[in-house]
């Protein structure tokens, strides 16, 4: 407003728009980096929680397999083991039961 030259006013307005655009880009970049930083942080927290949960589940599964293993040692009937095998849903359980069946059949031979 201090100058009366229209060309100079246009250049000034253009420079102001360019500065505003650059400032807006900087703000968007800062916002995006904050957004991604918080997502990564929460993702790390989820990983920690999932890791703890998976460790607990694995420990419980190991305890269950140990007790199943002891139970299988006391069973000496292949038919009973076969019934257990049909009722088992977990891979590791089925694996232990199959091993017990093979062991009993080997002892019978």
């Amino acid at each position: 407003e201090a100058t009366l030259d229209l060309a100079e006013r246009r250049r000034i307005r253009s420079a102001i728009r360019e500065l505003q655009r650059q400032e807006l880009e900087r703000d968007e970049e800062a916002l995006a980096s904050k957004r991604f930083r918080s997502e990564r942080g929460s993702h790390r927290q989820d990983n920690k929680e999932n890791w703890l949960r998976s460790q607990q589940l694995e420990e419980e599964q190991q305890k269950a397999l140990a007790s199943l293993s002891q139970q299988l040692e006391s069973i000496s009937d292949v038919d009973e083991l076969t019934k257990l095998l049909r009722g088992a849903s977990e891979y590791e359980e089925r694996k232990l039961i199959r091993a017990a069946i093979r062991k009993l059949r080997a002892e019978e031979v």
Side-chain angles (χ1 to χ4, degrees):
E1 295 176 14
T3 182
L4 298 177
D5 186 14
L6 293 179
E8 189 176 350
R9 283 187 173 191
R10 250 184 270 132
R11 284 193 306 267
I12 292 172
R13 277 192 238 117
S14 177
I16 291 173
R17 279 194 298 270
E18 180 63 24
L19 288 173
Q20 289 172 338
R21 185 188 62 78
Q22 289 174 357
E23 185 179 358
L24 184 62
E25 286 177 359
R26 280 193 305 270
D27 290 345
E28 287 174 350
E29 287 173 5
L31 183 62
S33 69
K34 286 180 184 178
R35 189 178 320 132
F36 289 129
R37 194 175 320 122
S38 67
E39 287 176 5
R40 285 189 302 244
S42 67
H43 184 66
R44 279 191 211 119
Q45 183 65 30
D46 288 344
N47 284 343
K48 287 179 185 177
E49 291 172 4
N50 290 338
W51 179 81
L52 182 60
R53 225 177 284 133
S54 69
Q55 288 296 106
Q56 291 171 344
L57 289 174
E58 188 174 329
E59 288 174 9
E60 290 173 6
Q61 185 180 24
Q62 291 300 326
K63 289 177 185 176
L65 289 176
S67 67
L68 177 65
S69 180
Q70 290 174 349
Q71 180 186 358
L72 292 176
E73 288 178 14
S74 66
I75 299 174
S76 60
D77 185 26
V78 175
D79 292 332
E80 194 174 337
L81 289 172
T82 305
K83 287 178 188 175
L84 280 175
L85 180 63
R86 289 187 184 125
S89 60
E90 295 292 321
Y91 172 76
E92 293 295 326
E93 291 176 357
R94 296 175 62 83
K95 185 176 162 182
L96 281 175
I97 297 169
R98 280 193 223 102
I101 291 172
R102 282 193 299 273
K103 182 180 175 184
L104 277 178
R105 288 187 178 153
E107 289 173 0
E108 288 176 358
V109 173

